[in-house]
């Protein structure tokens, strides 16, 4: 059973109401130009795969599920969740005293259900954990790339509830990881089943300094992620959500909010060259484009999280704008 959404504090509810009014007037017209073996995928060389075709008409049975009400915004829960790769806690791993990956994945699933998550960006989601996830939730969840591109790409997968979202277009882009080795990480277009709005979800894991200085590669990764977000916003106007373990705090927030229209689920600002980073700050992030809103933010370090992973579980309530509004003639108009 899905739990009801929490009621918003009065001040935040008023802010969301203002955002919704602005969204229904103008959303979509905005065009801004603005583990131990993680590095064994150096041979990948294909180019980024992703569509830039905007939605211009209400979905039909031939090009997607028919929305129940495309004229309203809808709310969902998104998470960024580094689940600590199974390789780290195997007999040959570097995290001694932890439960094995398969057992910890059962706890991760319990946490997803506890927080009523609809879309999650996983990091360190290795094959043993993926198999547990599919065994327990496979009938009700979609996953990309999952195991479709090998044992490395699976580690950064996006998963979504099939009763809430449908996959419109899978895609990926290359991100430099340890020693600059290129890893494919997902950029997918999903469609909300209630209001028909389509949105892009991107999920990344930028390299830590665990195998030597990696700031160079993090800088390149961040630049590509910023460029991709801007390209999607400029070419489609669709909402964009970004999740991930960026292995950076202040610097990543300031780079992203300075160079895109993305804002963080946990607040902060970047106006006129003055970057105010939200506190407390983690290396795990959730961002959304300017035509989205956030209604809540949870940095979960509960006992169950602490025995599941060495990261926080980041969870945010998100607002997705309506796909279409009804004009004075009673017809749907692109919002």
């Amino acid at each position: 059973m899905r739990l009801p959404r929490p009621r918003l504090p009065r001040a935040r509810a008023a802010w969301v109401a203002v955002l919704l009014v602005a969204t229904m007037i103008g959303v979509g017209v905005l065009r801004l130009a603005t583990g131990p073996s993680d590095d064994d995928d150096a041979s990948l060389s294909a180019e980024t795969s992703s569509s830039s075709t905007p939605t211009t008409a209400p979905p039909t049975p031939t090009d997607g599920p028919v929305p129940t009400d495309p004229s309203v915004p809808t709310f969902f829960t998104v998470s960024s969740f580094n689940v600590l790769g199974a390789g780290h806690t195997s007999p040959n791993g570097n995290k001694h005293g932890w439960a094995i990956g398969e057992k910890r994945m059962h706890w991760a699933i319990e946490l997803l259900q506890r927080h009523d998550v609809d879309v999650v960006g996983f990091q360190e989601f290795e094959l043993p954990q993926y198999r547990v996830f599919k065994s327990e939730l496979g009938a009700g969840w979609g996953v990309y790339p999952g195991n479709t591109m090998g044992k490395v790409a699976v580690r950064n997968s996006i998963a979504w509830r099939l009763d809430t979202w449908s996959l419109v277009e899978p895609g990926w882009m290359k991100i430099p990881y340890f020693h600059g080795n290129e890893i494919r990480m997902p950029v997918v277009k999903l469609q909300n089943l209630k209001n028909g709005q389509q949105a892009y979800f991107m999920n990344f894991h930028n390299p830590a300094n665990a195998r030597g200085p990696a700031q160079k590669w993090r800088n390149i990764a961040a630049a590509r992620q910023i460029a991709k977000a801007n390209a999607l916003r400029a070419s489609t106007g669709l909402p964009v959500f970004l999740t991930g373990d960026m292995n950076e705090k202040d610097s990543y927030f300031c780079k992203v909010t300075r160079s895109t229209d993305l804002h963080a689920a946990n607040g902060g600002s970047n106006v006129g060259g003055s970057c105010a980073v939200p506190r407390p700050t983690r290396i795990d992030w959730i961002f959304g484009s300017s035509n989205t809103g956030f209604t809540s933010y949870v940095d979960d370090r509960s006992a169950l999280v602490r025995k599941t992973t060495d990261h926080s579980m980041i969870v945010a309530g998100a607002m997705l704008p309506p796909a279409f509004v009804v004009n004075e003639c009673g017809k749907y108009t692109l919002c």
Side-chain angles (χ1 to χ4, degrees):
M1 177 182 296
R2 303 194 67 184
L3 299 176
R5 304 291 186 202
R7 298 184 65 180
L8 301 179
R10 183 173 301 173
R12 177 165 284 180
W15 177 88
V16 172
V18 171
L19 176 63
L20 295 184
V21 171
T23 297
M24 295 184 71
I25 294 173
V27 169
V29 298
L30 179 62
R31 296 293 185 272
L32 296 178
T34 38
S37 58
D38 287 290
D39 58 348
D40 59 358
D41 203 28
S43 63
L44 296 175
S45 61
E47 294 302 317
T48 300
S49 171
S50 175
S51 170
S52 61
T53 303
T55 301
T56 56
T60 69
T62 60
D63 62 358
V66 178
T68 57
D69 194 344
S71 65
V72 299
T74 191
F75 297 85
F76 69 101
T77 304
V78 59
S79 176
S80 185
F81 199 2
N82 184 318
V83 292
L84 182 60
H88 286 294
T89 59
S90 68
N92 297 323
N94 61 352
K95 294 283 187 179
H96 304 293
W98 288 73
I100 62 172
E102 292 91 334
K103 186 172 185 178
R104 291 185 293 103
M105 196 63 215
H106 290 292
W107 298 333
I109 290 170
E110 182 179 340
L111 286 162
L112 291 173
Q113 295 171 332
R114 177 181 295 183
H115 286 287
D116 198 22
V117 171
D118 300 292
V119 181
V120 56
F122 284 121
Q123 304 90 43
E124 298 192 30
F125 182 58
E126 297 184 3
L127 278 174
Q129 292 148 298
Y130 166 77
R131 293 186 185 114
V132 171
F133 183 87
K134 290 297 290 182
S135 175
E136 288 198 20
L137 298 179
W141 285 71
V143 183
Y144 183 81
N147 65 349
T148 62
M149 295 193 295
K151 68 177 183 178
V152 175
V154 68
R155 294 170 182 160
N156 302 290
S157 287
I158 297 172
W160 58 92
R161 292 179 61 105
L162 293 173
D163 63 357
T164 309
W165 298 90
S166 66
L167 177 64
V168 176
E169 181 181 327
W172 52 268
M173 61 183 291
K174 294 185 295 183
I175 296 296
Y177 204 56
F178 289 134
H179 311 300
N181 291 333
E182 303 279 357
I183 306 297
R184 287 180 283 189
M185 299 189 190
V187 179
V188 302
K189 186 195 293 185
L190 302 181
Q191 182 170 313
N192 185 268
L193 301 185
K194 180 177 181 180
N195 73 354
Q197 179 65 271
Q198 296 179 350
Y200 285 98
F201 291 83
M202 310 191 295
N203 180 59
F204 304 113
H205 191 180
N206 294 347
N209 295 329
R211 303 189 185 184
Q215 188 63 56
K216 171 185 177 180
W217 307 119
R218 289 195 295 272
N219 290 343
I220 294 172
R224 291 184 187 179
Q225 291 152 11
I226 287 168
K228 186 63 175 177
N230 285 336
L232 293 175
R233 294 288 290 129
S235 62
T236 74
L238 292 175
V240 172
F241 291 93
L242 185 157
T243 58
D245 171 3
M246 306 312 181
N247 276 302
E248 284 187 66
K249 296 183 178 180
D250 295 25
S251 57
Y252 190 84
F253 172 88
C254 291
K255 283 184 285 193
V256 168
T257 55
R258 179 180 65 244
S259 303
T260 72
D261 76 328
L262 300 182
H263 60 290
N266 52 331
S269 64
N270 198 339
V271 180
S274 178
C275 184
V277 182
R279 303 296 183 202
T281 311
R282 302 292 186 189
I283 61 175
D284 305 284
W285 291 98
I286 299 174
F287 291 91
S289 55
S290 60
N291 54 349
T292 69
F294 292 107
T295 61
S296 63
Y297 179 86
V298 176
D299 177 352
D300 188 348
R301 286 298 292 159
S302 62
L304 184 57
V305 173
R306 292 197 305 272
K307 71 177 186 177
T308 300
T309 180
D310 55 352
H311 282 248
S312 293
M313 180 186 185
I314 304 300
V315 183
M319 185 279 293
L320 191 71
F324 303 93
V325 296
V326 178
N327 63 22
E328 64 276 10
C329 302
K331 297 180 179 180
Y332 285 124
T333 304
L334 178 66
C335 181

